[in-house]
Amino acid sequence: MSEIVSSKPVRLSSAQMTEIKSEVTQDFLDPFSAQFRNIRAVDVSLANGQQERRVCGEVNGKNRMGGYVGFSMFGGVIVNGDFQQRDFFSPCENW
């Protein structure tokens, strides 16, 4: 992964938020009960010249017994309008 040269926080549209939540919860038992918090996005410029819109946040879902399992981090990038989950070293690192 290339080093970040600069970053700028950006606002996500409601359509982007819907896309992100749908992608993150696609394998959940009950995706409609998922809770989200601390979702943020940043446009980053990388040392190799690439630009990325990175997204991170936390999600909490239910287990088979119907109880919430606790918040866990997620991260990814928006590519051509689609959110793609990715593993970052630290998903909600300071960009």
Side-chain angles (χ1 to χ4, degrees):
M1 190 175 252
S2 189
E3 183 178 328
I4 296 171
V5 175
S6 66
S7 64
K8 179 181 123 187
V10 294
R11 245 184 144 74
L12 294 167
S13 70
S14 59
Q16 289 172 320
M17 290 293 284
T18 299
E19 165 74 18
I20 291 163
K21 290 177 179 182
S22 176
E23 178 68 25
V24 170
T25 60
Q26 71 179 348
D27 295 327
F28 281 30
L29 293 171
D30 184 1
F32 299 105
S33 67
Q35 300 171 335
F36 288 85
R37 68 181 185 193
N38 300 325
I39 298 175
R40 61 185 181 168
V42 180
D43 283 343
V44 297
S45 297
L46 303 174
N48 64 7
Q50 288 184 301
Q51 304 279 329
E52 289 183 341
R53 176 159 291 172
R54 293 186 178 182
V55 177
C56 69
E58 297 172 84
V59 62
N60 188 8
K62 290 185 176 182
N63 61 20
R64 292 192 186 280
M65 300 294 290
Y68 283 99
V69 298
F71 282 93
S72 60
M73 297 168 100
F74 69 88
V77 295
I78 295 177
V79 178
N80 297 324
D82 293 325
F83 178 72
Q84 300 172 1
Q85 286 196 81
R86 290 206 185 146
D87 292 329
F88 296 120
F89 176 73
S90 178
C92 284
E93 65 198 38
N94 290 323
W95 293 318

